[in-house]
Amino acid sequence: MWPSSPYHYYHLLVFLLILFHTPSCLVHGESWYLLHPNIGISAMHMQLLPNDRVLIYDRTDFGISNISLPNGKCRPNSDDCSAHSVEYDVASNSVRPLTVLSNVWCSSGSLMPDGTVTQTGGSADGALVVRTYNSCDTCDWQEIPNGLVAERWYATNHKLPDGRQIIIGGRGTFNYEFYPKTPETAAAVDFPFLTETNDPYMENNLYPFVFLYPDGNLFIFANNRAIFFDYVNNQVVKNFPKIPGDDPRNYPSTGSGVLLPMRVVQGCVPEVEFMVCGGAPRTAFLNAMNGVFDGALDTCGRIKISDPDPQWVMETMPMSRVMGDMLLLPNGHVLIINGASAGAAGWEYGRDPVLTPVVYRAGDPVGSRFKMQTPATIPRMYHSTAVLLRDGRVLVGGSNPHDKYEFSNVLYPTELSLEEFSPSYLDSDVSGLRPVIISPVTGTNMKYGDQVLMQFAVSENLDPNSVMVTLVAPSFNTHSFSMNQRLLVLDSCPVTTDPKSSNYQVSVAMPPTGNIAPAGYYLLFVVHQDIPSEGVWINIQ
């Protein structure tokens, strides 16, 4: 019998929403699934796009890839007619080859406020190039030769509140610059901090960990130390203590770092904490060059950078890890995934893959924060990547510790596959606790400080005291660092029942300024008992 009133139609709609947001196959606990055995290239760099596609590329001088450019196209002045970049469509699980001309090897980038990827630098003929990609069914890379004033290879990018990005460092490049350019910011600016943190013959400060602090300064960690940096006035405003143990955490002694979830309270972020995990001893790179593979670091350091006198607090992971990735999950937990337990980053310099991810629960008691997860079966060594998808899964790809594509007679063959890692919150046993966002819908534009009444459904009993709303920035991932990564816990009112239905509503305040959330696209989640909804894309301006 069909529903006889608009009220009944509404409840049918909500039932169908919950039904079709339930995973199509039952998942119990965390799990792995092979999405694609061969996307044609090795996923060295990845960026999630606001249309639920993922931009992926490796480098142009790896040799002939396993996916051809369309319509018999070849790169100019080359017999290479293969692609070195693809766009992965999450919904259809398909890839489309893209044409990148200059060398994007070990480069960097950001998703800009309009949804365009602006990617910078690389190697050789690509070191000064700026490239843009705006996703559509027929779109391709656009390249701007000499868009940079200094070569950027192993640099870090970060979006700024005014819509530009700052590009910091690179191999032998101890300065920073901005893009897009203005007459006032056309030149590169010397940055002595990079000179001070550079270890001769080892570096250990490439791909520095850079984060926008809520007061507008930058927090920058390189090697084993960190600063607050006023990029407007080119001034270090605070030096932090060195991390205990004195071991480096940046490339090639590659660890990973995140800002832990930041809670917005009445328009402010009262507490900001940085966490770095893994890495390798200072001489690990040189030793690996000589065939000696030092054990990776097994420690994490946390420091409340908002404290007047911040001090490091050290913790021990369940296993050592170098070249691991740290990703913020929608519920605020930290996923540590990929990497090796010995050696360093670089060609053939890693040993003993770490197949077991770890989830870190920052708010749990000390000694019980690390939770080991179901192990993978595919080693993800040097040049591996991982990004969070809108539905809460983690896309994992890459691994090529060779200077060419090598598929046989090597310890760790070039990996062309894509996998998904599903955290335990996607377990079908807890699907009844999973929220489904009814409004706002994907694609909604919002303004700083907007008060937004969100509506959501939960099919089982709701605990209103266990609901939070999180905002996650889609990051650019390469070399064990996710640039622009941040997660905000939004200021919200108590959960109530929608008087027009049996659904729930919660009023949340959008971030007040671009210092807290740089303008652009974000994923908005409702989290109930640590179980996140699927995200919806919003654009904050």
Side-chain angles (χ1 to χ4, degrees), residues 113-160:
D114 65 353
T116 299
V117 175
T118 297
Q119 181 273 339
T120 56
S123 177
D125 67 341
L128 293 172
V129 178
V130 173
R131 306 164 194 86
T132 62
Y133 181 76
N134 190 8
S135 179
C136 72
D137 289 345
T138 58
C139 291
D140 215 332
W141 285 98
Q142 304 298 313
E143 305 204 14
I144 306 168
N146 299 313
L148 302 174
V149 296
E151 295 185 351
R152 302 292 170 189
W153 193 28
Y154 299 90
T156 295
N157 296 25
H158 202 296
K159 282 198 307 182
L160 299 175

Side-chain angles (χ1 to χ4, degrees), residues 36-43 56 66-67 86 88 95 398 415-418:
H36 239 290
N38 182 352
I39 62 168
I41 66 171
S42 189
I56 304 174
N66 273 232
I67 186 169
V86 300
Y88 172 68
V95 295
E415 190 55 62
L416 306 182
S417 66
L418 277 184

Side-chain angles (χ1 to χ4, degrees), residues 60 69 99 184 189 231 306 344 357 402 436 452 472 504 516:
T60 59
L69 290 168
T99 306
E184 296 77 21
V189 182
Y231 62 87
S306 52
H402 320 289
V436 174
V452 178
V472 180
Y504 303 100
I516 293 175

Side-chain angles (χ1 to χ4, degrees), residues 462-468 494-495 527-529:
L462 178 90
D463 178 359
N465 297 316
S466 298
V467 173
M468 65 178 178
V495 176
V527 182
H528 175 228
Q529 295 187 35

Side-chain angles (χ1 to χ4, degrees), residues 264 447-450 471 488 490 509-513 516-517 540:
V264 185
K447 297 184 182 301
Y448 287 114
D450 275 356
L471 197 65
L488 301 176
L490 297 183
M510 288 297 107
T513 70
I516 293 175
I540 302 177

Side-chain angles (χ1 to χ4, degrees), residues 14 17-18 21 434-439 455-458 533-534:
V14 171
L17 276 170
I18 293 174
H21 278 75
R434 184 171 302 119
V436 174
I437 296 176
I438 298 169
S439 68
Q455 292 189 328
F456 64 97
V458 174
S533 65
E534 286 194 2

